[in-house]
Amino acid sequence: MHLTQFRYHKPKTLEEACTLLEQKENAAVLAGGTDVLVEIKKGLRQNDDLISLSALDELKEISKDENNLYIGAGATHNEVKKSPLIKNEFQAISEAASLIGTEQIRNTGTIGGNLCTGASCCDMAPVLIAYGARVELFSLKGKRTVALKDFFRFHKQTMIEKGEIMTKVIVPNLEKGSGVWFEKFGLRDAAAISVASAAAMIKTDGSKCSDALVVVGAVAPVPKISDKAKDVLTGKSTTELINDSSILEQVGKAAADDSLPIDDIRGTAGYRRGLVPVLAKRAVTKAAKRAVDSLKN
Ligand SMILES: Cc1cc2nc3c(=O)[nH]c(=O)nc-3n(C[C@H](O)[C@H](O)[C@H](O)COP(=O)(O)OP(=O)(O)OC[C@H]3O[C@@H](n4cnc5c(N)ncnc54)[C@H](O)[C@@H]3O)c2cc1C
């Protein structure tokens, strides 16, 4: 299979990139290309113009201020995985990036590309939603930020409009007493797209769970927050969240009830529905342990 012909552009500024996106009728952004180029090769998409982001250094920056972590949309999965800042203070984001694809995919694929594919199985979405992340979108009209939980409209459909480029992911600092964990199940250990995934954020006031978020991936048209799981978790003793299997059973059932899985080549809907409780329970227990440990430091 060969790539179809396209014009390659390498703009030096964001404005230039957005102008090209506006002007060209059938253009697409090219970040790492691990989705775009594979889809073009398979004949699943065709673009006359590809606008590379590779010369835009500002999209690679990873930084932090007193409120937020900022991850440039062009940061690769390995840059996210290995960033000392992310590893030390936003551990679950580094861990999620380390579970993506292979070394080659992590060296090339970007966090922005992962989210902008809009695939319900993209691994960075559940964990970033659990952290309460927002994304910044830039166009010639200006900038806007969107909560990541609202960014996904349907499978492979996002809120990105023509002429817009995702510039960064903004992750608020975790409040004291909070912990996040991401769990994924693929059909093999390496280079496996998630059949199902779950992320959890647990906040404890020292004895009770004062806030919680469970997000499931690859089991609905978009990464999905389980409101039922939050209802089960809020107000429960944190020790119970770590040790009490009956509460964890309820959490798992709630997360499965909130999912809308489909059959595909990686698994049937029933298989996925069976995975959700296992992954949600693990994510909740481990996030709760992290939340409790964070109070000891
Ligand atoms: C072998 C293999 C294994 C994989 N394993 C995994 C896995 O385990 N988990 C997982 O989640 N994914 C996996 N993927 C999918 C893919 O590699 C990732 O989603 C990757 O992060 C995509 O990023 P990219 O930079 O390559 O995006 P690209 O392919 O460059 O772009 C993807 C889409 O996003 C758009 N886009 C990219 N950047 C921006 C931006 N800044 N602003 C606006 N639009 C943008 C593009 O136009 C395109 O529509 C795998 C892919 C392969 C080939």
Side-chain angles (χ1 to χ4, degrees):
M1 249 183 271
H2 297 284
L3 283 172
T4 51
Q5 288 215 330
F6 55 81
R7 285 178 291 269
Y8 175 79
H9 306 264
K10 195 174 170 184
K12 294 201 171 56
T13 64
L14 260 176
E15 287 76 8
E16 202 189 323
C18 292
T19 306
L20 283 163
L21 279 174
E22 287 280 1
Q23 284 173 350
K24 307 287 180 188
E25 198 149 308
N26 181 26
V29 166
L30 176 70
T34 61
D35 267 313
V36 173
L37 297 177
V38 172
E39 284 185 1
I40 292 178
K41 216 169 178 182
K42 284 184 176 167
L44 297 173
R45 68 189 284 166
Q46 194 270 323
N47 291 104
D48 298 324
D49 295 87
L50 288 184
I51 321 292
S52 167
L53 303 181
S54 60
L56 305 180
D57 289 342
E58 70 221 82
L59 296 193
K60 294 208 143 270
E61 281 170 22
I62 298 176
S63 63
K64 185 180 177 287
D65 62 20
E66 64 278 13
N67 300 315
N68 301 303
L69 165 73
Y70 303 92
I71 310 175
T76 63
H77 299 306
N78 263 342
E79 284 163 348
V80 171
K81 173 188 165 186
K82 292 175 184 168
S83 153
L85 178 57
I86 301 179
K87 253 164 93 171
N88 292 335
E89 296 180 44
F90 299 85
Q91 211 174 340
I93 297 178
S94 167
E95 290 162 355
S98 76
L99 296 175
I100 290 184
T102 56
E103 195 64 9
Q104 292 94 324
I105 295 292
R106 287 192 294 276
N107 275 337
T108 320
T110 63
I111 189 166
N114 191 257
L115 300 173
C116 291
T117 58
S120 68
C121 59
C122 70
D123 281 329
M124 294 313 289
V127 69
L128 289 168
I129 293 173
Y131 272 95
R134 289 171 290 138
V135 290
E136 183 182 272
L137 307 176
F138 180 93
S139 73
L140 296 177
K141 289 184 224 145
K143 281 180 200 168
R144 62 180 177 134
T145 59
V146 175
L148 189 59
K149 69 179 173 56
D150 302 324
F151 177 70
F152 301 95
R153 288 211 160 115
F154 198 70
H155 182 58
K156 300 232 165 185
Q157 288 174 29
T158 69
M159 285 183 72
I160 288 218
E161 287 172 9
K162 184 170 168 62
E164 275 188 322
I165 290 177
M166 183 184 286
T167 42
K168 58 179 75 139
V169 181
I170 304 167
V171 189
N173 291 333
L174 261 190
E175 290 178 44
K176 199 153 177 60
S178 305
V180 178
W181 191 277
F182 174 67
E183 283 283 328
K184 136 176 192 176
F185 179 82
L187 293 180
R188 50 182 184 232
D189 282 344
I193 304 284
S194 287
V195 180
S197 66
M201 186 286 298
I202 299 292
K203 186 176 174 206
T204 177
D205 61 9
S207 59
K208 288 201 162 37
C209 170
S210 53
D211 196 10
L213 206 56
V214 174
V215 190
V216 287
V219 289
V222 295
K224 196 165 182 299
I225 292 177
S226 169
D227 292 327
K228 287 182 182 158
K230 184 186 174 93
D231 290 345
V232 171
L233 288 163
T234 311
K236 295 285 184 322
S237 127
T238 325
T239 324
E240 282 178 348
L241 296 192
I242 299 171
N243 300 314
D244 187 327
S245 58
S246 70
I247 292 176
L248 291 171
E249 288 307 318
Q250 288 174 47
V251 171
K253 181 177 180 318
D257 285 351
D258 274 340
S259 55
L260 299 160
I262 54 159
D263 296 337
D264 72 9
I265 50 160
R266 280 184 285 276
T268 62
Y271 183 55
R272 287 191 155 91
R273 210 180 282 285
L275 284 171
V276 172
V278 179
L279 298 173
K281 286 189 286 185
R282 279 185 200 158
V284 164
T285 310
K286 288 171 179 167
K289 278 191 186 138
R290 271 196 176 152
V292 170
D293 287 347
S294 78
L295 293 175
K296 295 179 192 155
N297 301 326

